[in-house]
Amino acid sequence: MNLRNSLRQIVSKTIRLFLIVYFENKSAYQRTKIGLLWVPLSTMAFVLTLTLVFGPKDQADPSKFFLYVFIGYTLWIFILDSITQSANIIQGQIDFANHNKMSLIDLYLKNLFDRLFRHLLSVAALFVIAGFFSPGTIWLSFLFYIPFILLIMAISLGISYLVNYTTLIFPDVEKVILIVARFLFFLSPVFWVADPGGAGMRNLLLLYNPVSYFLTIARQIFFIEPFNANSWIVAFGLTIVICSAGYVCYALTKDHVRNIS
C-alpha cells in the first residue's frame, strides 16, 4: 500500500509539473497563430542555415549532413539550457516556488521538465524528418532514444544543481558560465565534422570535450554515425560522476536555502 501511494504521489507530482510547464510555454506564444510550433520551426530554420553555410561542398548526401546538424543542434540546445538557465534558478524563481508550494527539488524538476518539453518538441520534428529519409530504421531510433532521454535528464539535473549552487556562492561565476557557453558551441561538434582517426584540434575536442560524447551517441541512435561503445561508456561514466556530485552537494546544502517551502 505504501508503494502504491508513493507511486501515485510521484505520478501526480509529475503530471502537475508538466502541466505547469505546458501552460507556461503555451502562454509565451499565446499571441501567435501557430503557438508552440515556433519551437521546432525555429530550430529547423537555424539548422537549415548551418547546413547551407557550413555543409561540405563534396558531400555526396546533403540529407545526411542536414540530419547530422539537426541532431547535434537539438541536443546542444538542451545542454545549453541545462547550463545557462540553471545559473539563477534559486535567485530568480524562489517566489514562484513559494507561490506554487514547491520544495527545492520540485523547483529543479520543474526546470528540468521545462527544458525537456522544448527539447521534445524539436525532437518530434527530428523524428518526422529522419523517418522520411530512413523509414526502415526510425522505429529503432525511437526505442534507443527513450533510454538516452533518461540519461540526459539525469545529467541535466545534476549539472543544474551544481551550477546554481556555485553561482549562489560565487555570483560572478554566472557571467563566466554565459561567456564559456558561447565558445562551447563552436568547440563542440554541433555543425563541424572531424576526420575519424585523424589529428588536429577537432580530434582533440572530440576526445576531451564531454559534450562530444553525448552528441555522438545521439547520432549513433539515428544511424548517422557508427556504433561506438566507448562513447556510451564515457557518457554513462560522466553521468554517474556528475549525478553523484550533485546529490552530495544537494544533501550538504539543501538546508542553506531557508525561505522556500
Side-chain angles (χ1 to χ4, degrees):
M1 183 63 69
N2 290 334
L3 177 60
R4 183 178 179 181
N5 290 335
S6 297
L7 290 175
R8 181 180 298 175
Q9 290 178 1
I10 292 174
V11 172
S12 177
K13 180 177 292 187
T14 301
I15 293 175
R16 176 173 177 262
L17 291 176
F18 261 115
L19 286 175
I20 292 175
V21 166
Y22 169 73
F23 286 114
E24 275 191 346
N25 282 274
K26 185 179 179 180
S27 66
Y29 298 92
Q30 63 181 354
R31 298 186 63 185
T32 64
K33 296 295 184 181
I34 60 176
L36 290 172
L37 286 177
W38 273 113
V39 177
L41 287 177
S42 61
T43 298
M44 291 175 61
F46 194 81
V47 168
L48 183 60
T49 302
L50 290 175
T51 303
L52 293 175
V53 174
F54 297 102
K57 300 296 183 181
D58 57 347
Q59 180 73 22
D61 186 4
S63 63
K64 185 175 181 179
F65 184 75
F66 174 74
L67 288 176
Y68 178 93
V69 179
F70 202 161
I71 296 166
Y73 184 71
T74 301
L75 181 57
W76 165 253
I77 290 299
F78 182 81
I79 295 172
L80 180 66
D81 288 348
S82 299
I83 299 172
T84 58
Q85 293 186 3
S86 298
N88 60 356
I89 290 177
I90 295 176
Q91 300 93 312
Q93 300 182 32
I94 195 165
D95 290 336
F96 171 85
N98 286 323
H99 177 75
N100 289 276
K101 298 181 180 180
M102 290 182 177
S103 65
L104 187 60
I105 191 63
D106 288 342
L107 181 60
Y108 282 95
L109 287 173
K110 181 268 176 187
N111 280 270
L112 172 62
F113 290 168
D114 193 30
R115 296 189 292 272
L116 182 64
F117 180 80
R118 293 191 298 272
H119 176 68
L120 291 179
L121 287 175
S122 296
V123 167
L126 172 60
F127 270 100
V128 171
I129 295 176
F132 176 79
F133 289 123
S134 304
T137 59
I138 193 63
W139 65 275
L140 284 173
S141 299
F142 180 78
L143 290 178
F144 284 122
Y145 209 83
I146 295 174
F148 180 66
I149 284 179
L150 298 177
L151 182 70
I152 62 176
M153 284 175 63
I155 195 170
S156 177
L157 187 61
I159 288 175
S160 182
Y161 191 82
L162 290 173
V163 166
N164 194 195
Y165 192 76
T166 301
T167 60
L168 193 63
I169 303 300
F170 306 103
D172 288 342
V173 173
E174 179 180 354
K175 302 303 180 184
V176 174
I177 289 173
L178 295 177
I179 294 172
V180 171
R182 297 176 187 175
F183 290 99
L184 192 59
F185 173 75
F186 298 99
L187 297 177
S188 304
V190 177
F191 60 91
W192 52 260
V193 183
D195 295 327
M201 180 58 68
R202 291 188 177 184
N203 291 87
L204 288 176
L205 291 173
L206 286 180
L207 182 62
Y208 295 108
N209 184 350
V211 174
S212 66
Y213 293 95
F214 291 91
L215 295 176
T216 297
I217 288 177
R219 289 170 177 139
Q220 291 175 22
I221 290 174
F222 285 92
F223 302 95
I224 299 299
E225 293 187 8
F227 175 78
N228 184 348
N230 182 63
S231 301
W232 290 83
I233 293 172
V234 173
F236 273 107
L238 287 170
T239 302
I240 292 172
V241 169
I242 291 178
C243 287
S244 298
Y247 176 77
V248 171
C249 183
Y250 171 75
L252 294 175
T253 63
K254 61 182 180 180
D255 294 331
H256 293 184
V257 184
R258 301 182 181 278
N259 53 337
I260 193 170
S261 300

